[in-house]
Amino acid sequence: MNKAGKIEVNIYLDEKARETISRELNLYLSNLQVFYAKLHNLHWNVEGRNFFKVHEKLEEYYDYVSDHIDEIAERILTLGYRPLVKLSDYAQNATLKEIDSKRYDVEESLNIVLKDFSELIGQLRNIIKLVQEYGDEGTADILIGSLKEFEKDSWMLRATLS
């Protein structure tokens, strides 16, 4: 800690890079938090044919997203900044939209998840490009892993819905 009480971060990324990347990661974190809540909503409210399989798959998705949320928040801290934690901040910053608590049939549920995966994939591609321009391979590595996972999940949902 320096004399001003600020934690010094020396991971060979300048402060502008760390600040810009942290801001983008907080926007992504906001979308992940909305997606996490949405997956729980669908998990609890899905009904219809193949309920058991879809119910279990939605749980797998929210477990993965929960772990990814933690990883993103810890990366923001690694960069020397604070992750957003207030639900109001997530709602204000997220581009993903919440859904109501009501009955969702299986096909509708899977289409909602597929649409959100698509938005997250687009956001990830933009952030990956940004972090690579700054030479932040640590953040890129985290994000590329999730990009790969979300792309695979999207393919599987498209195959299921066809």
Side-chain angles (χ1 to χ4, degrees):
M1 217 178 270
N2 66 19
K3 290 180 183 178
K6 184 176 178 184
I7 297 172
E8 294 182 28
V9 176
N10 187 8
I11 58 172
Y12 296 94
L13 290 172
D14 67 43
E15 188 164 347
K16 179 183 182 247
R18 291 184 294 107
E19 180 182 13
T20 301
I21 292 165
S22 294
R23 185 177 53 251
E24 291 301 314
L25 289 177
N26 264 314
L27 296 176
Y28 178 58
L29 180 63
S30 296
N31 274 336
L32 289 174
Q33 290 285 13
V34 169
F35 189 46
Y36 181 72
K38 200 184 267 191
L39 288 167
H40 269 93
N41 182 348
L42 294 170
H43 172 77
W44 296 325
N45 289 304
V46 67
E47 296 179 11
R49 253 178 111 76
N50 295 315
F51 164 81
F52 287 110
K53 288 181 182 179
V54 172
H55 184 74
E56 285 179 15
K57 182 51 82 174
L58 290 166
E59 185 173 353
E60 286 177 33
Y61 289 156
Y62 72 67
D63 284 344
Y64 176 83
V65 171
S66 175
D67 290 342
H68 190 46
I69 285 168
D70 190 55
E71 191 173 32
I72 295 302
E74 289 175 353
R75 185 61 187 174
I76 294 167
L77 289 163
T78 299
L79 294 169
Y81 290 86
R82 297 280 173 196
L84 297 175
V85 296
K86 292 170 36 181
L87 295 176
S88 58
D89 288 337
Y90 298 144
Q92 180 180 359
N93 287 295
T95 57
L96 297 183
K97 301 300 177 206
E98 298 173 308
I99 56 173
D100 293 326
S101 178
K102 66 177 186 112
R103 179 194 186 280
Y104 291 92
D105 67 39
V106 167
E107 185 173 339
E108 182 180 18
S109 296
L110 297 180
N111 275 307
I112 289 168
V113 173
L114 180 59
K115 181 179 182 288
D116 284 357
F117 275 144
S118 180
E119 283 196 46
L120 291 168
I121 288 166
Q123 187 179 21
L124 279 167
R125 288 191 179 284
N126 290 333
I127 300 171
I128 290 166
K129 182 178 178 184
L130 172 77
V131 302
Q132 288 176 331
E133 287 171 3
Y134 281 116
D136 182 1
E137 298 305 321
T139 301
D141 182 57
I142 292 167
L143 298 178
I144 289 168
S146 286
L147 175 65
K148 179 181 168 186
E149 188 69 27
F150 291 161
E151 287 176 338
K152 181 179 177 184
D153 290 333
S154 294
W155 158 65
M156 290 182 166
L157 285 174
R158 286 190 309 273
T160 300
L161 289 164
S162 64

